[in-house]
Amino acid sequence: SSDHMAFAPYVNSKKATFEEQFMNSFEQPYVHEPITKLNSKRLMILPLLVELDGGKKLCITEADLEDYPGMFLNNSTDKPVLKPIFASYPKVKKQGGHNNLQMLVEEREDYIAKTSGTRAFPWRVFIVSENDKQLADCDMVYRLASPCRLQDVSWVKPGKVAWDWWNDWNIYDVDFRAGINTETYKYYIDFAAEHGIEYVILDEGWSVNMAADLMQVIPEIDIPELVNYGKSKNVGIILWAGYYAFERDMERVVKHYADMGVKGFKVDFMDRDDQRMVDFLHRAACFLFLRQQYYEWRLDP
């Protein structure tokens, strides 16, 4: 209704065209500016928050995003207007990016999605609050999502995680060489067990660099030994996986490590939310669920 202040997160790509900005990691700090002062040359990601009169807030986001591209926002006028922009469907992709673990879009189609016209489309959501604590307590996105399709969710065991990347393997006063190796991760498992932390993540570095092959493990890491050691301490192991390395061989990779006792994967560097990538996220989640169900059944028929 007027030039309200907004909390807006730009894409982290500063490239010239919107098509180039579609490739971004969705992890930017928020700026606090009037809508008309927002950078018209850059896309913004969700959620975006607008300060209304009288202390009210308007949160713009989306829900039930499936088989469709995610929404960006942009203000390319001198009026307080935000318009939606969607990444077009990928036409030509090439392996590359971070450590050769991504698929870079080199050419896009002139449409945003291939889909059925009779389907239910994602919700584009306006959440209005009278005070800030209502935003923290809001479950609108959850309520608008499709109902859970899992009949049994007892195998889902959330928990805290000790994360090597956070401290860059920077441990000292130990009798071994700290780094990406079995001894260091045993130290992390001991720490997790002592402090009631349920999981330890092996972040990037446990698999051979630049190979984009999760079956190639560096010689300094013994994953079965870490899984068994963690099991003895009631600590589960989660493995980091670059997106393309995971997608290209998903069935073999998940079966191999699930049979070994690995509890899950942290999949990284998707850096897109066009329809193809949104579909990957859904397929990966479904496949991990099916594999876990098989694994649990095989252990306890």
Side-chain angles (χ1 to χ4, degrees), residues 244-292:
Y244 180 62
F246 188 78
E247 183 187 41
R248 69 187 296 193
D249 205 9
M250 193 185 306
E251 182 170 357
R252 187 165 73 110
V253 164
V254 173
K255 181 182 187 306
H256 176 74
Y257 288 109
D259 289 348
M260 194 181 294
V262 169
K263 297 299 184 181
F265 288 89
K266 171 191 171 184
V267 187
D268 204 352
F269 282 98
M270 285 70 74
D271 285 7
R272 297 169 17 222
D273 71 345
D274 50 49
Q275 186 185 28
R276 290 285 297 272
M277 188 57 73
V278 171
D279 284 347
F280 160 74
L281 296 172
H282 185 248
R283 284 188 292 108
C286 288
F287 188 83
L288 287 169
F289 160 69
L290 292 172
R291 171 52 54 187
Q292 182 69 19

Coordinates of all heavy atoms in Angstrom, one line a residue, residues 244-292:
Y244 N 25.6 -34.0 -7.3 CA 25.6 -34.8 -8.5 C 26.2 -36.2 -8.2 O 25.7 -37.2 -8.8 CB 26.5 -34.1 -9.6 CG 26.6 -34.9 -10.9 CD1 25.5 -35.2 -11.6 CD2 27.8 -35.4 -11.3 CE1 25.6 -36.0 -12.8 CE2 27.9 -36.2 -12.4 CZ 26.8 -36.5 -13.2 OH 26.9 -37.3 -14.3
A245 N 27.2 -36.3 -7.3 CA 27.7 -37.6 -6.9 C 26.6 -38.4 -6.3 O 26.6 -39.7 -6.5 CB 28.8 -37.4 -5.9
F246 N 25.7 -37.8 -5.6 CA 24.6 -38.6 -5.0 C 23.5 -39.0 -6.0 O 23.1 -40.1 -6.1 CB 23.9 -37.7 -3.9 CG 22.9 -38.4 -3.1 CD1 23.3 -39.3 -2.1 CD2 21.6 -38.2 -3.3 CE1 22.4 -40.0 -1.3 CE2 20.6 -38.9 -2.5 CZ 21.0 -39.7 -1.5
E247 N 23.1 -38.0 -6.9 CA 22.1 -38.3 -7.8 C 22.5 -39.3 -8.9 O 21.7 -40.2 -9.3 CB 21.6 -37.0 -8.6 CG 20.5 -37.2 -9.5 CD 20.1 -36.1 -10.4 OE1 21.0 -35.4 -10.8 OE2 18.9 -35.8 -10.5
R248 N 23.7 -39.3 -9.4 CA 24.1 -40.1 -10.5 C 24.1 -41.6 -10.1 O 24.0 -42.5 -11.0 CB 25.5 -39.7 -11.0 CG 26.6 -40.0 -10.0 CD 27.9 -39.4 -10.4 NE 28.4 -40.0 -11.7 CZ 29.7 -39.9 -12.1 NH1 30.5 -39.1 -11.4 NH2 30.0 -40.4 -13.2
D249 N 24.2 -41.9 -8.8 CA 24.3 -43.3 -8.4 C 23.5 -43.6 -7.1 O 24.0 -44.3 -6.3 CB 25.8 -43.7 -8.3 CG 26.0 -45.2 -8.4 OD1 25.1 -45.9 -8.9 OD2 27.2 -45.6 -8.2
M250 N 22.3 -43.0 -7.1 CA 21.6 -42.9 -5.8 C 21.3 -44.3 -5.2 O 21.6 -44.5 -4.0 CB 20.3 -42.1 -6.0 CG 19.7 -41.7 -4.7 SD 18.0 -40.9 -5.0 CE 18.5 -39.6 -6.1
E251 N 20.8 -45.2 -6.0 CA 20.4 -46.5 -5.5 C 21.6 -47.3 -4.9 O 21.6 -47.8 -3.8 CB 19.7 -47.3 -6.6 CG 19.2 -48.6 -6.1 CD 18.3 -49.3 -7.0 OE1 18.0 -48.8 -8.1 OE2 17.9 -50.5 -6.8
R252 N 22.7 -47.3 -5.7 CA 23.9 -48.1 -5.2 C 24.5 -47.5 -4.0 O 24.9 -48.2 -3.0 CB 24.9 -48.2 -6.4 CG 26.0 -49.1 -6.0 CD 26.8 -49.5 -7.3 NE 27.6 -48.3 -7.8 CZ 28.9 -48.3 -7.7 NH1 29.6 -49.3 -7.2 NH2 29.6 -47.2 -8.2
V253 N 24.6 -46.1 -4.0 CA 25.2 -45.4 -2.9 C 24.4 -45.6 -1.6 O 25.0 -46.0 -0.5 CB 25.4 -43.9 -3.2 CG1 25.6 -43.1 -1.9 CG2 26.5 -43.7 -4.2
V254 N 23.1 -45.4 -1.7 CA 22.3 -45.5 -0.5 C 22.2 -46.9 0.1 O 22.3 -47.2 1.3 CB 20.9 -44.9 -0.7 CG1 20.0 -45.2 0.5 CG2 20.9 -43.4 -1.0
K255 N 22.1 -47.9 -0.8 CA 22.1 -49.3 -0.4 C 23.4 -49.7 0.3 O 23.4 -50.3 1.3 CB 21.8 -50.2 -1.6 CG 21.8 -51.7 -1.2 CD 21.6 -52.6 -2.3 CE 21.4 -54.1 -1.9 NZ 22.4 -54.6 -1.0
H256 N 24.5 -49.3 -0.3 CA 25.8 -49.6 0.2 C 26.0 -49.1 1.6 O 26.5 -49.8 2.5 CB 26.9 -49.0 -0.8 CG 28.3 -49.2 -0.3 ND1 28.9 -50.5 -0.4 CD2 29.2 -48.4 0.2 CE1 30.2 -50.4 0.1 NE2 30.4 -49.1 0.5
Y257 N 25.7 -47.8 1.8 CA 26.0 -47.2 3.1 C 24.9 -47.5 4.1 O 25.2 -47.6 5.3 CB 26.2 -45.7 3.0 CG 27.6 -45.4 2.3 CD1 27.6 -45.0 1.0 CD2 28.8 -45.7 2.9 CE1 28.8 -44.7 0.3 CE2 30.0 -45.5 2.3 CZ 30.0 -45.0 1.0 OH 31.2 -44.8 0.4
A258 N 23.7 -47.7 3.7 CA 22.6 -48.2 4.6 C 23.0 -49.6 5.2 O 22.8 -49.8 6.4 CB 21.3 -48.2 3.9
D259 N 23.4 -50.5 4.3 CA 23.8 -51.8 4.7 C 24.9 -51.8 5.7 O 25.1 -52.6 6.6 CB 24.1 -52.7 3.5 CG 22.9 -53.0 2.7 OD1 21.8 -52.8 3.2 OD2 23.1 -53.5 1.6
M260 N 25.8 -50.7 5.5 CA 26.9 -50.6 6.4 C 26.5 -50.0 7.8 O 27.2 -50.2 8.8 CB 27.9 -49.6 5.8 CG 29.3 -49.6 6.4 SD 30.4 -48.4 5.5 CE 30.5 -49.2 3.9
G261 N 25.3 -49.4 7.9 CA 24.9 -48.8 9.1 C 24.9 -47.3 9.2 O 24.6 -46.8 10.3
V262 N 25.2 -46.7 8.1 CA 25.2 -45.2 8.1 C 23.7 -44.7 8.2 O 22.8 -45.3 7.6 CB 25.8 -44.7 6.8 CG1 25.5 -43.2 6.6 CG2 27.3 -44.9 6.7
K263 N 23.5 -43.7 9.0 CA 22.1 -43.3 9.3 C 21.5 -42.3 8.3 O 20.3 -42.1 8.3 CB 22.1 -42.6 10.7 CG 22.5 -43.6 11.8 CD 21.6 -44.8 11.9 CE 22.0 -45.7 13.1 NZ 21.1 -46.8 13.2
G264 N 22.3 -41.6 7.5 CA 21.7 -40.7 6.6 C 22.8 -39.9 5.8 O 24.0 -40.1 6.0
F265 N 22.3 -39.0 4.9 CA 23.1 -38.2 4.1 C 22.8 -36.7 4.2 O 21.6 -36.4 4.4 CB 23.0 -38.6 2.6 CG 23.6 -39.9 2.3 CD1 22.8 -41.1 2.4 CD2 24.9 -40.0 1.9 CE1 23.4 -42.3 2.1 CE2 25.5 -41.3 1.6 CZ 24.7 -42.4 1.7
K266 N 23.8 -35.9 4.2 CA 23.6 -34.5 4.1 C 24.0 -34.1 2.7 O 25.2 -34.1 2.3 CB 24.6 -33.7 5.1 CG 24.6 -32.2 4.9 CD 25.7 -31.6 5.7 CE 25.9 -30.2 5.3 NZ 27.1 -29.6 6.0
V267 N 23.0 -33.9 1.8 CA 23.2 -33.6 0.4 C 23.4 -32.1 0.2 O 22.6 -31.3 0.7 CB 22.1 -34.2 -0.4 CG1 22.4 -34.1 -1.9 CG2 21.8 -35.7 -0.1
D268 N 24.4 -31.7 -0.6 CA 24.8 -30.3 -0.6 C 25.0 -29.9 -2.1 O 25.2 -30.7 -3.0 CB 26.1 -30.2 0.2 CG 26.4 -28.8 0.7 OD1 25.6 -27.9 0.3 OD2 27.3 -28.6 1.5
F269 N 25.1 -28.6 -2.2 CA 25.4 -27.9 -3.5 C 24.4 -28.2 -4.6 O 24.8 -28.3 -5.8 CB 26.9 -28.3 -3.9 CG 27.9 -27.5 -3.2 CD1 28.5 -28.1 -2.1 CD2 28.2 -26.2 -3.5 CE1 29.5 -27.4 -1.3 CE2 29.2 -25.5 -2.8 CZ 29.8 -26.1 -1.7
M270 N 23.1 -28.2 -4.3 CA 22.2 -28.3 -5.4 C 22.2 -26.9 -6.1 O 22.2 -26.8 -7.3 CB 20.8 -28.5 -4.8 CG 20.5 -30.0 -4.4 SD 21.5 -30.5 -3.0 CE 20.6 -29.7 -1.7
D271 N 22.1 -25.8 -5.3 CA 22.2 -24.4 -5.8 C 21.3 -24.0 -6.9 O 21.5 -23.1 -7.6 CB 23.7 -24.2 -6.2 CG 24.6 -24.1 -5.0 OD1 24.2 -24.3 -3.9 OD2 25.8 -23.7 -5.2
R272 N 20.1 -24.7 -6.9 CA 19.1 -24.3 -7.9 C 17.7 -24.7 -7.3 O 17.7 -25.6 -6.4 CB 19.2 -25.1 -9.2 CG 20.5 -24.8 -10.0 CD 20.7 -25.7 -11.2 NE 19.6 -26.5 -11.6 CZ 19.7 -27.8 -12.0 NH1 20.9 -28.4 -11.9 NH2 18.7 -28.5 -12.5
D273 N 16.6 -24.1 -7.8 CA 15.3 -24.6 -7.4 C 14.4 -24.6 -8.6 O 13.2 -24.3 -8.5 CB 14.7 -23.9 -6.2 CG 14.3 -22.5 -6.4 OD1 14.7 -21.9 -7.4 OD2 13.6 -22.0 -5.6
D274 N 14.9 -24.8 -9.8 CA 14.1 -25.0 -11.0 C 13.3 -26.4 -10.8 O 13.6 -27.1 -9.9 CB 14.8 -24.9 -12.3 CG 16.1 -25.8 -12.3 OD1 15.9 -27.0 -11.9 OD2 17.2 -25.4 -12.6
Q275 N 12.4 -26.7 -11.7 CA 11.6 -27.9 -11.6 C 12.4 -29.1 -11.5 O 12.2 -30.0 -10.7 CB 10.6 -28.0 -12.7 CG 9.6 -29.1 -12.6 CD 8.7 -29.4 -13.8 OE1 9.1 -29.0 -14.9 NE2 7.5 -29.9 -13.5
R276 N 13.5 -29.3 -12.3 CA 14.3 -30.5 -12.2 C 15.0 -30.7 -10.9 O 15.0 -31.8 -10.4 CB 15.4 -30.4 -13.3 CG 14.9 -30.5 -14.7 CD 14.6 -31.9 -15.1 NE 15.7 -32.8 -15.1 CZ 16.5 -33.0 -16.1 NH1 16.4 -32.4 -17.2 NH2 17.5 -33.9 -16.0
M277 N 15.4 -29.6 -10.2 CA 16.1 -29.7 -8.9 C 15.0 -30.0 -7.8 O 15.3 -30.8 -6.9 CB 16.9 -28.4 -8.6 CG 17.7 -28.6 -7.4 SD 18.9 -30.0 -7.5 CE 20.1 -29.3 -8.6
V278 N 13.9 -29.3 -7.9 CA 12.8 -29.6 -6.9 C 12.4 -31.1 -7.0 O 12.2 -31.8 -6.0 CB 11.6 -28.7 -7.1 CG1 10.4 -29.1 -6.3 CG2 12.0 -27.2 -6.8
D279 N 12.4 -31.6 -8.2 CA 12.0 -33.0 -8.4 C 13.1 -33.9 -7.8 O 12.8 -34.9 -7.2 CB 11.9 -33.4 -9.9 CG 10.6 -32.9 -10.5 OD1 9.7 -32.5 -9.7 OD2 10.5 -32.8 -11.7
F280 N 14.4 -33.5 -7.9 CA 15.5 -34.3 -7.3 C 15.3 -34.4 -5.8 O 15.4 -35.4 -5.2 CB 16.8 -33.7 -7.7 CG 17.9 -34.2 -6.7 CD1 18.4 -35.5 -6.7 CD2 18.4 -33.3 -5.7 CE1 19.4 -35.9 -5.8 CE2 19.3 -33.7 -4.8 CZ 19.8 -35.0 -4.9
L281 N 15.0 -33.2 -5.2 CA 14.9 -33.2 -3.7 C 13.8 -34.2 -3.3 O 13.9 -34.9 -2.3 CB 14.5 -31.8 -3.3 CG 15.7 -30.8 -3.5 CD1 15.2 -29.4 -3.2 CD2 16.9 -31.1 -2.7
H282 N 12.7 -34.2 -4.0 CA 11.6 -35.1 -3.7 C 12.0 -36.6 -3.9 O 11.7 -37.4 -3.1 CB 10.3 -34.7 -4.5 CG 9.1 -35.5 -4.2 ND1 8.6 -36.5 -5.0 CD2 8.4 -35.5 -3.1 CE1 7.5 -37.0 -4.5 NE2 7.4 -36.5 -3.3
R283 N 12.6 -36.8 -5.0 CA 13.0 -38.2 -5.3 C 14.0 -38.7 -4.3 O 14.0 -39.9 -3.8 CB 13.7 -38.3 -6.7 CG 12.7 -38.3 -7.8 CD 13.3 -38.6 -9.2 NE 14.2 -37.5 -9.6 CZ 15.5 -37.6 -9.6 NH1 16.1 -38.8 -9.2 NH2 16.3 -36.6 -10.0
A284 N 15.0 -37.8 -3.9 CA 16.0 -38.2 -2.9 C 15.3 -38.6 -1.6 O 15.7 -39.6 -0.9 CB 17.0 -37.1 -2.8
A285 N 14.4 -37.7 -1.1 CA 13.7 -38.0 0.1 C 12.9 -39.3 0.1 O 13.0 -40.1 1.0 CB 12.8 -36.8 0.5
C286 N 12.2 -39.5 -1.0 CA 11.4 -40.7 -1.1 C 12.3 -41.9 -1.2 O 12.0 -43.0 -0.5 CB 10.6 -40.7 -2.4 SG 9.2 -39.5 -2.3
F287 N 13.4 -41.9 -1.9 CA 14.3 -43.0 -2.0 C 14.9 -43.3 -0.7 O 15.1 -44.5 -0.3 CB 15.4 -42.8 -3.1 CG 16.2 -44.0 -3.4 CD1 15.7 -44.9 -4.2 CD2 17.4 -44.2 -2.7 CE1 16.4 -46.1 -4.5 CE2 18.1 -45.4 -3.0 CZ 17.6 -46.3 -3.9
L288 N 15.4 -42.3 0.1 CA 16.0 -42.6 1.4 C 15.0 -43.2 2.3 O 15.3 -44.1 3.1 CB 16.5 -41.3 2.0 CG 17.8 -40.7 1.3 CD1 18.1 -39.3 1.8 CD2 19.0 -41.7 1.6
F289 N 13.7 -42.8 2.2 CA 12.6 -43.4 3.0 C 12.5 -44.9 2.7 O 12.4 -45.7 3.6 CB 11.3 -42.7 2.8 CG 10.1 -43.4 3.2 CD1 9.9 -43.7 4.6 CD2 9.2 -43.9 2.3 CE1 8.8 -44.5 5.0 CE2 8.1 -44.7 2.7 CZ 7.9 -44.9 4.0
L290 N 12.4 -45.2 1.4 CA 12.2 -46.6 1.0 C 13.3 -47.4 1.4 O 13.2 -48.6 1.8 CB 11.9 -46.6 -0.5 CG 10.6 -46.0 -1.0 CD1 10.6 -45.9 -2.5 CD2 9.4 -46.8 -0.5
R291 N 14.6 -46.9 1.2 CA 15.7 -47.7 1.6 C 15.8 -48.0 3.1 O 16.1 -49.0 3.5 CB 17.0 -47.0 1.1 CG 18.3 -47.6 1.6 CD 18.5 -49.0 1.3 NE 18.3 -49.4 -0.1 CZ 18.2 -50.7 -0.5 NH1 18.3 -51.6 0.3 NH2 18.0 -50.9 -1.8
Q292 N 15.4 -46.9 3.9 CA 15.5 -47.1 5.3 C 14.4 -48.1 5.7 O 14.7 -49.0 6.6 CB 15.2 -45.8 6.0 CG 15.3 -45.8 7.5 CD 16.7 -46.1 8.0 OE1 17.6 -45.9 7.3 NE2 16.8 -46.6 9.3

